[in-house]
Amino acid sequence: MSRWPIPPLLALLLLAACGGEAPERAVVEEVRAAPLRLSIEAQGELKAAVATRLTVPGQGWTSRQLVWMVPDGSRVAAGEVVARFSAEQTRLERDKALLGLERSRLSRLAKESELALGDGRLEVDRAQVEGQLAIASRYAQAEFAAIARNVVLDAIADAEYLGEKREVLDWRKGQSAARGGAELRVLDAQRQSVEANLRVREADLDALELRAPHEGVFVLTANWTGEKPQLGAQVFAGNDFATLPDSRALEVELSLPQLEAQGLAVGLPVRLHPVGAPEQGFEAPITWVASAPRAVSRNNPVRHLAFKVAVPEDVVRQRPWVPGQAFVGRVILKEAESALSVPNLALFSENGGHAVQVLTRHGPERRAVVLGVRGPARSEVIEGLAEGERVLLTPPAAAGGQDAGAGA
């Protein structure tokens, strides 16, 4: 809220008192140079300037259920468990991986047995061929005088056939070994994939506790809807869960509706205090202003502009504040010992600027003005008005039709 420089001089002027051209009843204020203080109130939250980000433990966007956690805002020690989760889906997938690993082992044993059986048969066939080839070779080298000619010729033909059959058996053995090796490598690759999946699932099941990496204050992180994690809620590995702020460096983040935040700038003083504790107030300048406004929730279409105020170190040491506390801040837009100002109700837009209706002895007169700092209820006037002039607080619709108070 703004404090007016002096109580407004409100008068009800009759038509006869204003030269016959003023409205029948006109509400006016006499312009006076007086101390001016324009301010606007904002709501915010105490945060740590530096905070360690805590995420839901686990890998690969796996689902978890929150079963326990320390209260929001609790002080925790380094290594202390701050939350526990359950992962029944991951446990089921781990059991499936164990079953797949056993199937892979049995498949490899079956393939090895099949290959060994095939190699055994080839060895038997080759041994038979070797025996027959030895006999055929012996008869094939005999003289015709000792053995009948047809027996020798048959033995020579048998030796040639058996030699080719031995080569075929050797080729089949080589092919069987190559094909069997390839099939075993495929099974080994499948087993390695199952083992990798199993290691991931077991690592996930080993990561069902969240511990504090250092001492600090445990502060839950709200999601994009503005809600903080609740017991029994489903969460996903890797998502933001909480923060561990450094309580030695604090700042208050506040926000204002876009239409009310036009005068915000780095360096403007802000007087802040925790909600319900005005006696703990302090003053500090704005240290950061967001580059653009944004919506604060899905249910609120009004866009807000965020800004921050760093809490002085001596105040941090004196106060037992913790991140997450609600704060009220009053931004001091303008403080002057003497300045001219008018209520925003008296302003209207004109040719990209602003104007007022000044009441003269000839009636209302349109007057362009140059504004300084805009407040929520009053605005500073730099040019266009002189002390003692009277300004209509309700300009006629014909003068511009747009009350600048809507755009203040």
Side-chain angles (χ1 to χ4, degrees), residues 35-103:
L36 179 64
R37 182 174 180 268
L38 301 177
S39 64
I40 189 168
E41 186 174 289
Q43 302 288 330
E45 180 181 335
L46 186 66
K47 296 184 176 182
V50 179
T52 301
R53 177 169 163 258
L54 302 181
T55 59
V56 178
Q59 306 177 36
W61 196 251
T62 50
S63 174
R64 271 131 166 67
Q65 186 177 24
L66 179 61
V67 296
W68 176 86
M69 63 179 173
V70 298
D72 191 16
S74 302
R75 290 193 174 274
V76 296
E80 180 180 346
V81 177
V82 296
R84 290 191 177 94
F85 306 85
S86 67
E88 296 305 319
Q89 182 63 32
T90 301
R91 199 178 304 278
L92 176 61
E93 292 174 355
R94 190 273 310 269
D95 293 341
K96 289 181 179 179
L98 287 172
L99 180 60
L101 187 63
E102 183 63 19
R103 286 176 175 170

Side-chain angles (χ1 to χ4, degrees), residues 132-154:
Q132 295 171 357
L133 182 60
I135 295 172
S137 298
R138 186 172 65 241
Y139 281 103
Q141 296 174 2
E143 296 181 358
F144 291 128
I147 301 176
R149 180 182 180 87
N150 62 330
V151 173
V152 174
L153 294 176
D154 288 343

Side-chain angles (χ1 to χ4, degrees), residues 33 38 44 102 150 187 189-190 194 251 256 277 295 321 331 369 381:
L38 301 177
E102 183 63 19
N150 62 330
L187 292 174
Q190 293 174 346
V194 174
E251 62 186 11
L256 283 170
W321 296 333
V331 183
V369 294
V381 178

Side-chain angles (χ1 to χ4, degrees), residues 199-405:
R199 286 193 296 270
V200 170
R201 301 309 169 193
E202 289 178 340
D204 263 350
L205 292 176
D206 290 338
L208 294 179
E209 289 185 345
L210 180 61
R211 295 180 179 271
H214 58 78
E215 182 182 358
V217 178
F218 177 77
V219 179
L220 291 171
T221 300
N223 59 18
W224 66 279
T225 64
E227 297 180 355
K228 293 187 175 182
Q230 301 289 331
L231 292 180
Q234 185 183 33
V235 293
F236 296 92
N239 274 6
D240 287 338
F241 181 73
T243 57
L244 276 183
D246 183 352
S247 58
R248 297 170 298 178
L250 299 177
E251 62 186 11
V252 180
E253 182 173 335
L254 307 104
S255 65
L256 283 170
Q258 183 178 1
L259 292 178
E260 299 179 13
Q262 297 178 16
L264 284 182
V266 173
L268 285 177
V270 184
R271 295 173 184 172
L272 302 111
H273 64 81
V275 171
E279 71 281 359
Q280 298 182 19
F282 68 95
E283 183 172 318
I286 295 177
T287 55
W288 173 85
V289 178
S291 58
R294 61 180 178 83
V296 294
S297 71
R298 291 188 303 174
N299 299 325
N300 186 358
V302 179
R303 301 175 71 84
H304 285 64
L305 187 68
F307 60 102
K308 296 179 182 179
V309 178
V311 182
E313 293 183 4
D314 58 335
V315 177
V316 173
R317 290 193 297 267
Q318 295 171 9
R319 304 297 184 185
W321 296 333
V322 295
Q325 284 186 261
F327 267 68
V328 176
R330 182 171 292 279
V331 183
I332 310 303
L333 301 174
K334 176 75 175 184
E335 279 189 321
E337 294 182 0
S338 178
L340 300 181
S341 66
V342 295
N344 290 340
L345 290 174
L347 297 167
F348 59 90
S349 300
E350 182 180 64
N351 299 326
H354 295 89
V356 296
Q357 288 286 318
V358 178
L359 190 60
T360 69
R361 60 193 182 94
H362 301 294
E365 175 186 295
R366 184 181 313 188
R367 184 83 58 79
V369 294
V370 178
L371 301 181
V373 176
R374 303 296 305 275
R378 299 184 69 84
S379 295
E380 178 188 20
V381 178
I382 299 176
E383 296 180 11
L385 288 177
E387 190 171 3
E389 292 185 306
R390 294 175 298 174
V391 175
L392 287 173
L393 300 189
T394 53
Q402 294 182 358
D403 188 339

